[in-house]
């Protein structure tokens, strides 16, 4: 075999998750009995499996295992200190998430703990949480700030997020979520806090290159649509992508507003009305579903899955890993929840953590196993790709590559 590839994985079944015409009607974009060539961190080409006699030292015999794209957790808040188990106790005694927030708990309590935590402590905590995701095959994690709210702590959180990338050899997409909660010091003047976010913090984050996107929490216990719009305008002016937590607890028409600013994604959306869905199509916005928050808050209003599906809106799913609404560090459990709680198919769940999750982060070269894409790939000893969504704590990857390097 004369080939310039760095290595080749032979005798492998591939769930390419490709959107290309070749795979248009092939579930999971499956190509069985294949070989894949990796060169300079990228997928060079996919071919039929080769005869065993042609195998050399740079050929891995996958023995019929399944190769899937590295999983992408496109919505997490995994940098924080403290925990909110006492609020779990309160919720189980009958208090709601919103009531706890209004009484100064919720996000505010994690802000107090995070402000007090050192860079080293935050990094240590975040590494442990990220490790849980990585052991399940996650190779890209979006990480939001939003538990500092003051300049110093937001920068510290984003620096921790950035440094996770090198220390764990994975991809991190950092998002500035200043408009997560109005901090104590601005309690009497939320608009002044929004000005602080737009005029003081955002420019500094851009200057230091610490975030690629800006997020907001558009909600009665978060920020009004007008305040969110102010943040979107400032973010766009500075060349950042926008995304938004919308319609989680009520319908403020946040998704429509986000679509107006070409948001990469609108996240949660249990209270999204079907008539607001067409707006998402024209703006190419991904619907990010967060079944972990739905489950943990014992929400009963389901996101409008059937309408999203009917309109061909790409659906992603993510852990929303955070200490309040979704203390769940397991993308595979979330995939199962997407199926069992939201009625997604296992194929939709896998698309939701690969191709569609990549789109939710604006990553054009991840989430599919096709030539030219980053060689973020996970090998699984399973009989079919639907198995990764099928159970809880049943499967683990056998090998993981990030940009062609084995972890
Ligand atoms: O995605 N909704 C706002 N933000 C997070 C929760 C944050 C928290 O409760 O600490 C979410 O659910
Ligand atoms: Fe969130």
């Amino acid at each position: 075999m004369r080939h310039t590839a760095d290595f080749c994985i032979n005798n492998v079944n591939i769930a390419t998750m490709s959107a290309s015409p070749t795979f248009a009607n092939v579930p999971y974009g499956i190509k069985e009995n294949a070989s894949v060539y990796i060169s300079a961190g990228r997928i060079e080409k996919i071919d039929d499996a080769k005869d065993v006699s042609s195998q050399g030292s740079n050929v891995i015999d996958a023995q019929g295992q399944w190769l899937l794209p590295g999983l992408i957790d496109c919505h997490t808040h995994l940098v924080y200190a403290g925990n909110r188990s006492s609020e779990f106790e309160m919720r189980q005694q009958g208090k709601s998430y919103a009531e706890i927030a209004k009484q100064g708990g919720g996000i505010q309590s994690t802000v107090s703990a995070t402000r007090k935590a050192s860079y080293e402590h935050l990094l240590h905590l975040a590494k442990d949480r990220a490790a849980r995701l990585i052991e399940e095959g996650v190779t890209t994690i979006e990480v939001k700030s939003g538990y500092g709210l003051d300049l110093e702590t937001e920068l510290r959180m984003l620096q921790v997020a950035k440094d996770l990338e090198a220390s764990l050899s994975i991809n991190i997409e950092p998002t500035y979520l200043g408009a997560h909660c109005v901090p104590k010091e601005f309690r009497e003047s939320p608009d002044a806090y929004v000005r602080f976010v737009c005029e003081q913090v955002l420019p500094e984050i851009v200057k230091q290159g610490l975030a690629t996107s800006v997020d907001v929490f558009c909600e009665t216990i978060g920020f009004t649509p007008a305040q969110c719009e102010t943040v979107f305008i400032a973010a766009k002016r500075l060349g950042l992508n926008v995304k938004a937590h919308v319609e989680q607890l009520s319908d403020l028409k946040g998704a429509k507003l986000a679509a107006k600013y070409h948001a990469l994604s609108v996240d949660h959306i249990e209270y999204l009305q079907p008539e607001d869905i067409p707006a998402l199509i024209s703006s190419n916005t991904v619907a990010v579903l967060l079944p972990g928050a739905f489950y943990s808050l014992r929400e009963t209003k389901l996101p409008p899955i059937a309408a999203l599906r009917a309109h061909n809106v790409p659906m992603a799913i993510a852990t929303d890993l955070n200490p309040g609404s979704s203390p769940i560090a397991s993308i595979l459990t979330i995939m199962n929840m997407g199926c069992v709680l939201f009625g997604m198919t296992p194929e939709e769940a896998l698309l939701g953590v690969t191709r569609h999750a990549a789109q939710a982060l604006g990553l054009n070269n991840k989430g599919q196993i096709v030539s030219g894409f980053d060689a973020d790939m996970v090998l699984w000893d399973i009989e079919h790709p639907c198995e990764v969504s099928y159970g809880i704590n049943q499967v683990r990857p056998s090998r993981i590559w990030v940009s062609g390097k084995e972890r």
Side-chain angles (χ1 to χ4, degrees):
M1 179 183 62
R2 289 253 207 93
H3 209 278
T4 56
D6 296 336
F7 70 99
C8 162
I9 304 172
N10 194 21
N11 290 326
V12 71
N13 296 313
I14 308 177
T16 67
M17 308 314 284
S18 168
S20 77
T22 323
F23 292 107
N25 294 311
V26 184
Y28 299 88
I30 285 174
K31 180 166 170 62
E32 289 184 76
N33 297 320
S35 58
V36 52
Y37 296 85
I38 290 88
S39 167
R42 296 267 169 106
I43 294 158
E44 187 183 291
K45 74 164 182 169
I46 292 167
D47 209 342
D48 294 332
K50 293 289 169 289
D51 196 289
V52 195
S53 61
S54 67
Q55 297 197 0
S57 60
N58 61 345
V59 178
I60 294 162
D61 183 358
Q63 299 182 324
Q65 292 189 57
W66 281 85
L67 192 68
L68 273 52
L71 307 183
I72 299 171
D73 192 350
C74 70
H75 181 142
T76 84
H77 308 247
L78 64 70
V79 179
Y80 62 85
N83 74 60
R84 306 231 293 273
S85 56
S86 59
E87 294 183 7
F88 180 52
E89 189 91 53
M90 286 158 78
R91 288 206 311 276
Q92 293 309 104
Q93 286 169 7
K95 270 226 163 85
S96 76
Y97 179 70
E99 278 163 357
I100 294 168
K102 280 180 203 140
Q103 288 163 7
I107 296 170
Q108 204 68 253
S109 93
T110 301
V111 169
S112 307
T114 305
R115 284 181 177 181
K116 285 186 213 129
S118 67
Y119 163 88
E120 289 75 17
H121 187 48
L122 285 175
L123 182 64
H124 168 75
L125 294 169
K127 265 167 109 170
D128 276 1
R129 296 177 193 122
R132 301 281 155 78
L133 299 176
I134 295 166
E135 70 192 27
E136 291 191 338
V138 172
T139 54
T140 297
I141 308 176
E142 186 260 10
V143 180
K144 301 176 196 299
S145 66
Y147 290 126
L149 309 179
D150 60 22
L151 176 66
E152 188 194 329
T153 318
E154 287 293 298
L155 293 175
R156 186 158 75 247
M157 288 185 73
L158 290 168
Q159 191 64 51
V160 167
K162 186 175 181 179
D163 295 346
L164 284 175
E165 186 159 76
S167 73
L168 296 174
S169 304
I170 49 154
N171 312 299
I172 296 287
E173 283 298 308
T175 299
Y176 171 49
L177 174 55
H180 196 198
C181 175
V182 179
K184 286 199 296 286
E185 59 277 19
F186 282 95
R187 189 177 295 147
E188 304 310 320
S189 48
D191 286 338
Y193 176 64
V194 172
R195 280 197 297 280
F196 167 74
V197 163
C198 298
E199 293 165 19
Q200 315 275 313
V201 190
L202 252 176
E204 190 56 34
I205 283 170
V206 171
K207 196 167 123 200
Q208 298 193 26
L210 284 175
T212 48
S213 298
V214 173
D215 198 345
V216 299
F217 184 25
C218 184
E219 192 51 71
T220 47
I221 56 166
F223 292 82
T224 65
Q227 290 164 341
C228 293
E229 184 160 22
T230 304
V231 176
F232 290 157
I233 291 169
K236 283 281 173 187
R237 198 175 288 144
L238 291 167
L240 295 172
N241 296 314
V242 302
K243 42 180 52 240
H245 289 69
V246 295
E247 275 77 278
Q248 180 187 9
L249 308 169
S250 61
D251 178 21
L252 297 188
K253 303 289 171 206
K256 242 181 134 172
L257 173 71
K260 182 174 155 197
Y261 290 89
H262 299 275
L264 286 175
S265 69
V266 287
D267 303 37
H268 286 290
I269 60 170
E270 280 87 340
Y271 287 80
L272 176 68
Q273 292 301 310
E275 68 260 24
D276 296 329
I277 291 176
L280 301 177
I281 303 163
S282 25
S283 60
N284 239 338
T285 301
V286 176
V288 177
L289 308 170
L290 304 170
F294 174 94
Y295 165 84
S296 299
L297 300 182
R298 301 172 71 194
E299 178 58 70
T300 51
K301 176 97 174 69
L302 285 162
I305 305 279
L308 290 164
R309 194 184 278 139
H311 282 94
N312 280 322
V313 175
M315 293 184 279
I317 48 176
T319 60
D320 193 14
L321 173 48
N322 76 69
S325 66
S326 189
I328 302 175
S330 171
I331 195 80
L332 297 177
T333 305
I334 292 295
M335 292 166 74
N336 180 263
M337 285 182 178
C339 296
V340 176
L341 298 176
F342 288 178
M344 298 173 86
T345 66
E347 186 186 9
E348 286 172 332
L350 189 56
L351 277 168
V353 296
T354 56
R355 187 169 98 212
H356 293 161
Q359 189 183 334
L361 298 177
L363 301 172
N364 300 323
N365 52 355
K366 291 192 186 293
Q368 301 175 47
I369 300 188
V370 295
S371 61
F373 275 52
D374 292 346
D376 296 348
M377 311 172 301
V378 182
L379 197 64
W380 302 81
D381 191 5
I382 52 178
E383 284 168 25
H384 191 275
C386 67
E387 258 176 76
V388 287
S389 299
Y390 160 59
I392 292 184
N393 206 11
Q394 299 272 28
V395 290
R396 284 288 184 278
S398 48
R399 298 176 79 159
I400 300 173
W401 293 269
V402 182
S403 295
K405 284 213 183 71
E406 185 154 18
R407 294 197 78 259

